[in-house]
Amino acid sequence: MSGATVSEIFASMEYGPAKEDESVAQAWLERHARNFGHFIDGRWVKPEGRESYTSENPATGRSLASTLQGCSSDVSLAVKSSREAFRSWSALPCHTRARHLYSLARTVQKHQTLFSVLESLDHGKPVQECRNFDVPNVIRQLYHDAGWAELRDGEMRGWQPLGVVAAIVSSSFPLMTLSCKVSPALAMGNTVVVKPDTRTRLSALLFAEICAEAGLPPGVVNVVTGDEDFGAELAQHSDVDKVDFTGSTERGRALCRDSAGSGKALSLRLGAKSSCIVFDSADLDSATEGIVEEAWSSQGQLCSAGSVLLVQESVWEPLLSRLRVRMSRLRCGSGLEKSVDLAPLVDESQRSSLEALVEEAKREGAEVFQVCGPSLSMGGPFYPPTLLTGLAPASRFFREEISGPVLAALPFRTAKEAIALANNSRYGLGASVWTESLALALEVAGSLQVGSVWVNAHSLVDAAAGFGGVKESGFDRDGGREGLFEYLRPSWSSRPRPSTSDLDYKSFGTSCETPPLPQGAGGGGREGEETPKVDRSYKLYIGGSQVRPDSGYSRPVLTAGGELLACVPDGNRKDIRNAVESANKTQPGWLKKGPHTRAQILYFIAENLELRGAEFAQGLSLQSAVSLEDAQKEVGLSVARLFHWAALCDKYGGSVQETPFRGSTLCFREPIGVVGVVCPDEKPLLSFVTLMGAAICRGNAVVMVPSPSNPLPALAMCQVLETSDLPGGVVNIVSGERDQLTRHLTGHSSVQSVWYFGSEQGSQFVEWGSADNLKRTWVNYGQPRDWSSPVEGAGEEFLLHATQCKNVWIPAGEIYAN
């Protein structure tokens, strides 16, 4: 292009060189002699004897800087600094913290070009993506959370900060991911230790320096560098109160197991396999541009990248022909070139992995379309944009996460088939729906098992809307009011610090401490009674029917004085399996009943419980050794608690998120699905009703394990439920040995969440066992709770655990241009 005239340029329409100036970023690296330590307590720390890691520009392979590979003593130093800073930072007035975050936002804004160029150099992604998307979103996040810092005491009344947060960041959106963790944590009064990804450390170190320049107190944000094992050491440090992790699913699974029983809060943002669903009612030209943008921007290395393309059969060929033409015009080159579409991958090993995967696709019979422009002949780990067709729906290319510019396409006939194909994945981060029919878009969005749905767009994010996934894409949200709760705990509670033991996970719950033996002599009729009473046979409650246990065993239940009161069924693995199967079959229909119908049924349950209140009070008094008056109070509180959850059936459904997006962003609070609930021994009726009501009022189905020491109130509830129009399978009750049933519930792949209120060891096992399919868990670590209190027994905490947020982004622009 050199020497070309203006008319020649207009005739050819070829791109000329437009390289971003990197001199300021290089000068910053030089100022630090291209040698960085940790940033702890407001200053650079370079301990002796540490190994180093060389950060390189993926496009050229040239060294950028040397950084430390930290060790356990570095973790301790950083966590200690953050703990000391937490004492003063959490005590600051909300307005003061808001000013700090506002100052940090302004300071990042002043250096936004430096951040953009450094991120491009270190990660390899095109600089225009950093400049136009990543850094503006970082600034937006800080401004947004400065507002929440100002409002915390009013809007989040009844909550308190967790303490020290360990933020472990991935190489996907390194700077954005960091800000999504640090900003809300600081706003809520926590301090943070950041561990960036091994391959993309430099923007995090610059951010730490900018925090100091903005006047953030020392120790509020510390940044330490190291490998994956170093990150695990940070997560396992005893003085870390929360681990906030973004990375691979397998690493997240390992963190679940490693932190089990520690009392730490845990948030996971993991792998993804996001679908782009194109219907025949879509604007195909717009859809093509959107697919290209999201399948191949940032080289397809984004967690939300659209790596699966589902196209309605009638527009299959028209869309794919457009897509191939558009792919042929993509430009590949150095990330600092402003005119490129694809830059290099983050490292060479990723390219080797992609080459092997595409060869495997060819062996499966795939048709492979790749664009190999001349720019791909340059050095560096470049990989061409790739389109795969002709694969079977069961292929790993539609099920497993593949980080790179590879898009697998599949046709579908009907909307139901498209939904089934999109949901046929262990992941559930996001999906896009392309259609001009809003009714179709909303119905499909409601049926997709993901955390975000974008209509006629993809990967829209904003600080005001939570971003996160379901299933094996993790749990909890970054952004929005819903994301703030990840950094808070109820004010009445304190950090659990259980005495973590070397629990034998293989043997936990595999044997009975108290086998179900008959009580023997002493259970006959009373002296002087000629005619014995009709025996009452308690049964399990599964699928709306009272059934006998598969084991054929029963457990004796004794009065406080040791006399035989009743025998209850001893449930086993098969009973849990039947209960979970029934709950999964019923839950979608229960949700479709609608909030008003669910409320009426809960009111009806309360009405029928009150009618039998004297009977329940007598039973509670007889077995629990409480006075009849106290038992009557518990029954009355249980009725009131059912009224409370009935009232919330239609008052916690979601909100409209106030994003800068030209359109509407709707937040739907959806049910978790099937929840396994292991009930505590204290307040056996009230705790049972509280946990059951909180779950089912939001559309979940439950498998309840009642208190093993006092299961009769829960089993007596079977008759109340049967006469209250509750659909069979919404509530299932399985009594038996607590540890055994907990093991079966935790290990069941069709249970989406487990709530456990029992022992420290049981809590530890639930957190460890949930890692297999990354269930959400809520455990008490053996700590008691005041179930009578409206704060501890009926707070928003219950609804947060019973729901998950899905954000649906709906564009505007039919009348006025965006």
Side-chain angles (χ1 to χ4, degrees):
M1 293 290 295
S2 58
T5 64
V6 173
S7 60
E8 288 172 339
I9 292 173
F10 271 103
S12 65
M13 293 301 289
E14 291 182 10
Y15 287 95
K19 189 174 181 181
E20 182 72 41
D21 181 16
E22 60 183 290
S23 60
V24 176
Q26 295 292 352
W28 180 77
L29 295 171
E30 287 291 349
R31 190 179 74 183
H32 291 276
R34 298 185 181 271
N35 191 339
F36 292 88
H38 307 302
F39 195 86
I40 299 174
D41 212 33
R43 58 191 177 87
W44 294 105
V45 176
K46 295 182 181 178
E48 297 293 331
R50 303 292 187 270
E51 294 182 1
S52 63
Y53 175 86
T54 301
S55 296
E56 298 178 346
N57 182 343
T60 63
R62 293 175 185 168
S63 171
L64 294 171
S66 176
T67 55
L68 288 184
Q69 296 285 71
C71 66
S72 56
S73 61
D74 302 336
V75 167
S76 296
L77 183 64
V79 173
K80 181 181 178 182
S81 168
S82 289
R83 175 59 62 191
E84 292 175 353
F86 172 70
R87 295 185 181 96
S88 56
W89 178 254
S90 60
L92 289 175
C94 289
H95 178 67
T96 304
R97 277 197 304 273
R99 284 198 175 207
H100 275 297
L101 279 170
Y102 179 80
S103 176
L104 181 55
R106 300 285 281 189
T107 308
V108 171
Q109 202 165 20
K110 293 171 186 175
H111 299 287
Q112 57 186 316
T113 301
L114 173 58
F115 273 109
S116 300
V117 175
L118 188 66
E119 187 85 324
S120 178
L121 285 170
D122 195 26
H123 183 279
K125 60 164 54 181
V127 69
Q128 75 267 20
E129 289 184 17
C130 303
R131 182 181 60 241
N132 299 335
F133 185 76
D134 294 21
V135 178
N137 273 291
V138 170
I139 297 166
R140 160 70 176 153
Q141 182 81 51
L142 292 165
Y143 277 130
H144 180 76
D145 288 328
W148 279 120
E150 178 74 28
L151 301 172
R152 192 202 72 176
D153 283 355
E155 292 292 326
M156 318 300 285
R157 185 178 290 110
W159 297 82
Q160 63 178 337
L162 293 169
V164 177
V165 176
I168 302 175
V169 179
S170 72
S171 61
S172 174
F173 293 122
L175 185 61
M176 266 184 64
T177 305
L178 179 152
S179 69
C180 287
K181 299 179 184 305
V182 171
S183 183
L186 298 187
M188 295 298 101
N190 303 278
T191 55
V192 187
V193 180
V194 178
K195 188 269 170 189
D197 187 83
T198 300
R199 299 166 295 182
T200 52
R201 306 176 170 191
L202 298 183
S203 58
L205 294 170
L206 173 60
F207 183 83
E209 193 172 80
I210 294 301
C211 286
E213 181 180 319
L216 214 60
V220 171
V221 174
N222 293 313
V223 177
V224 291
T225 56
D227 57 16
E228 281 192 350
D229 292 336
F230 178 73
E233 287 189 55
L234 173 60
Q236 292 171 38
H237 195 284
S238 60
D239 214 17
V240 166
D241 299 296
K242 178 186 174 67
V243 180
D244 195 351
F245 175 80
T246 298
S248 71
T249 297
E250 287 312 309
R251 196 66 187 170
R253 211 186 306 276
L255 273 176
C256 267
R257 295 191 175 112
D258 291 342
S259 63
S262 66
K264 293 181 175 72
L266 180 64
S267 292
L268 299 176
R269 258 74 69 181
L270 306 175
K273 195 70 182 173
S274 299
S275 297
C276 302
I277 307 172
V278 183
F279 288 94
D280 55 11
S281 53
D283 179 336
L284 296 187
D285 292 326
S286 295
T288 301
E289 288 301 314
I291 293 162
V292 167
E293 178 71 19
E294 290 316 313
W296 296 303
S297 63
S298 286
Q299 303 72 251
Q301 298 172 116
L302 308 181
C303 57
S304 59
S307 55
V308 172
L309 175 61
L310 303 175
V311 185
Q312 199 152 21
E313 275 188 349
S314 56
V315 292
W316 170 261
E317 284 302 333
L319 182 75
L320 261 61
S321 63
R322 285 173 168 81
L323 200 54
R324 294 186 183 103
V325 170
R326 185 66 181 85
M327 287 172 66
S328 67
R329 295 172 183 168
L330 293 174
R331 289 173 53 83
C332 305
S334 167
L336 289 180
E337 280 289 343
K338 299 175 186 176
S339 59
V340 302
D341 301 296
L342 273 81
L345 300 168
V346 74
D347 61 27
E348 185 64 42
S349 64
Q350 200 166 342
R351 179 169 69 174
S352 301
S353 174
L354 287 172
E355 288 172 347
L357 284 168
V358 172
E359 287 302 315
E360 179 184 332
K362 291 177 180 178
R363 290 192 295 272
E364 289 184 19
E367 296 178 21
V368 179
F369 180 81
Q370 290 181 322
V371 180
C372 300
S375 56
L376 293 174
S377 62
M378 66 175 66
F382 287 89
Y383 195 78
T386 302
L387 176 64
L388 304 178
T389 55
L391 289 165
S395 170
R396 65 181 295 189
F397 293 90
F398 296 110
R399 294 181 291 105
E400 298 181 13
E401 184 179 29
I402 297 173
S403 182
V406 177
L407 177 65
L410 193 69
F412 67 86
R413 295 182 182 86
T414 65
K416 286 185 178 179
E417 184 184 0
I419 292 166
L421 289 169
N423 287 339
N424 184 32
S425 170
R426 58 195 179 106
Y427 299 110
L429 183 60
S432 59
V433 179
W434 298 85
T435 175
E436 295 298 293
S437 169
L438 181 58
L440 174 62
L442 287 176
E443 192 166 1
V444 172
S447 303
L448 293 173
Q449 297 167 3
V450 294
S452 296
V453 179
W454 303 281
V455 178
N456 296 332
H458 200 101
S459 287
L460 298 174
V461 296
D462 183 66
F467 180 72
V470 299
K471 298 191 285 190
E472 293 193 23
S473 287
F475 41 79
D476 300 333
R477 297 291 182 265
D478 284 330
R481 185 177 186 272
E482 58 268 30
L484 299 177
F485 291 102
E486 313 304 335
Y487 304 97
L488 298 166
R489 69 165 55 93
S491 297
W492 60 265
S493 67
S494 59
R495 154 79 190 272
R497 294 189 180 273
S499 54
T500 52
S501 58
D502 294 328
L503 184 65
D504 186 349
Y505 295 114
K506 290 186 178 179
S507 63
F508 178 87
T510 57
S511 60
C512 294
E513 292 185 6
T514 53
L517 300 176
Q519 192 65 12
R526 298 181 184 275
E527 187 177 351
E529 288 183 348
E530 295 183 2
T531 305
K533 292 181 179 179
V534 176
D535 178 70
R536 180 172 182 179
S537 181
Y538 287 93
K539 297 187 178 72
L540 307 178
Y541 187 62
I542 298 175
S545 301
Q546 297 190 50
V547 297
R548 297 189 184 277
D550 172 72
S551 68
Y553 287 109
S554 295
R555 288 182 169 273
V557 178
L558 309 179
T559 65
E563 296 181 3
L564 179 65
L565 182 62
C567 289
V568 299
D570 188 40
N572 63 12
R573 179 191 293 270
K574 187 174 180 181
D575 298 315
I576 291 291
R577 184 200 69 187
N578 292 341
V580 173
E581 182 180 331
S582 173
N584 269 290
K585 187 182 297 184
T586 306
Q587 190 271 328
W590 174 240
L591 177 62
K592 290 178 181 178
K593 287 281 185 184
H596 178 72
T597 300
R598 292 199 301 272
Q600 293 302 304
I601 290 173
L602 279 166
Y603 284 129
F604 199 6
I605 295 172
E607 178 185 334
N608 286 329
L609 175 59
E610 187 170 66
L611 285 173
R612 297 179 58 180
E615 174 193 337
F616 274 89
Q618 186 71 30
L620 284 170
S621 176
L622 188 60
Q623 187 183 359
S624 303
V626 298
S627 67
L628 183 59
E629 183 182 359
D630 287 341
Q632 289 169 340
K633 286 181 180 178
E634 183 173 346
V635 174
L637 282 171
S638 300
V639 172
R641 195 61 49 82
L642 286 166
F643 262 68
H644 176 78
W645 298 129
L648 283 164
C649 282
D650 57 1
K651 298 174 182 66
Y652 202 73
S655 60
V656 177
Q657 311 280 43
E658 296 190 87
T659 66
F661 172 65
R662 246 291 266 135
S664 301
T665 307
L666 308 180
C667 174
F668 295 92
R669 282 202 167 273
E670 297 187 333
I672 302 297
V674 174
V675 180
V677 182
V678 183
C679 297
D681 291 327
E682 61 265 22
K683 300 287 183 184
L685 176 62
L686 178 58
S687 60
F688 177 89
V689 164
T690 295
L691 293 166
M692 177 195 74
I696 69 173
C697 80
R698 297 310 312 162
N700 300 286
V702 292
V703 178
M704 309 285 295
V705 176
S707 160
S709 63
N710 193 350
L712 298 186
L715 294 174
M717 281 293 295
C718 298
Q719 294 180 350
V720 174
L721 299 176
E722 281 181 321
T723 57
S724 302
D725 293 341
L726 183 72
V730 173
V731 175
N732 303 273
I733 306 172
V734 181
S735 60
E737 210 281 327
R738 175 187 276 157
D739 287 352
Q740 282 190 330
L741 298 180
T742 296
R743 185 180 188 91
H744 302 328
L745 269 177
T746 304
H748 202 297
S749 61
S750 295
V751 174
Q752 283 76 49
S753 181
V754 175
W755 300 356
Y756 178 89
F757 295 85
S759 66
E760 283 187 7
Q761 293 76 19
S763 298
Q764 183 174 342
F765 178 83
V766 167
E767 291 188 326
W768 181 86
S770 70
D772 286 342
N773 72 335
L774 292 168
K775 292 179 178 65
R776 291 172 52 151
T777 61
W778 183 20
V779 302
N780 72 332
Y781 303 103
Q783 296 184 345
R785 176 185 289 253
D786 183 0
W787 295 96
S788 303
S789 163
V791 176
E792 297 185 35
E796 189 175 3
E797 179 186 16
F798 288 84
L799 297 173
L800 291 170
H801 285 287
T803 59
Q804 55 195 2
C805 290
K806 176 191 286 181
N807 282 297
V808 179
W809 299 69
I810 305 169
E814 186 71 22
I815 302 173
Y816 304 105
N818 283 330

